[in-house]
Amino acid sequence: MEFNQSEQVYLIGIDDTDNLYTPGTGRHARQLGARLMREGAVRLLDITRHQLLFDPRVRYTSHNSSLCMRVVIATCQPEAAASICRDYLLTHSAPDSDAGLCIAAWHAVPPAIQRYGRRAKQELLDIDQARATAQQHTIQLEGLTGDHGGIIGALAAVGLRRTGMDGRIAWLPNLRETTGVVTAGHLRQSAGIDLIREYQGNATVAEDDLIDAGRWPRPILQEDQAVLLIEKGGPDHGVQWKPVSKQVLRQF
């Protein structure tokens, strides 16, 4: 993908925006992305979901995952996008949430932040560590509601997205509008899927092979590409493939 010289790719991480009775952070990420585009602040490229440490010591709503938006912003307008993010999260985060926001230019996310993201999948981290790590590497990190605990996941989301090797893709143009039985070619050409790969196999997937995408296909992120993992079989005769189960996707 090519960008104008006056544009730059940014990562926007958010976490801890919800409670048990309100929409999850995934929905907030999609709604925030839509608002950013509607107001002309960004071009939204994708949204990814990143699973963090699943541990009873962590105060999470359901799964302890954080979200990251990859966007294109005019070089002179990053603060306009940041202002929209703040306003949205302050207005729409649940009353007892601990929302955090992280914004960083793609090229400015160093290996240390990527390592921090990986640590957040395995270790119990705290707010002071998140603040110190962001400050050391000049990463914009803000706590907006509650005790600001969401800055841990927001920073981790940016680091993990920058690796290009973590998480599930929660939004691409036309991805969620793709439902039911479609051809592999349609997924590649119209739904933003870069690769379709057999899980635990190496079969070639032809352009006209039929895949039951279900409610919508759920690709994972590998080597900065949207990869749809599939396995043989479908509910209807003539459907060669179906996506792998959510249980399989959880390992990514």
Side-chain angles (χ1 to χ4, degrees), residues 102 113 129-141 155:
C102 181
I113 300 298
Q129 288 172 305
R131 287 195 178 116
T133 302
Q135 184 175 13
Q136 181 180 358
H137 299 283
T138 322
I139 299 293
Q140 182 176 346
L141 185 64
L155 181 62

Side-chain angles (χ1 to χ4, degrees), residues 25-42:
T25 299
R27 184 181 297 182
H28 281 306
R30 297 193 303 275
Q31 292 177 344
L32 174 55
R35 177 174 167 183
L36 286 164
M37 288 195 291
R38 190 167 58 247
E39 297 192 19
V42 310

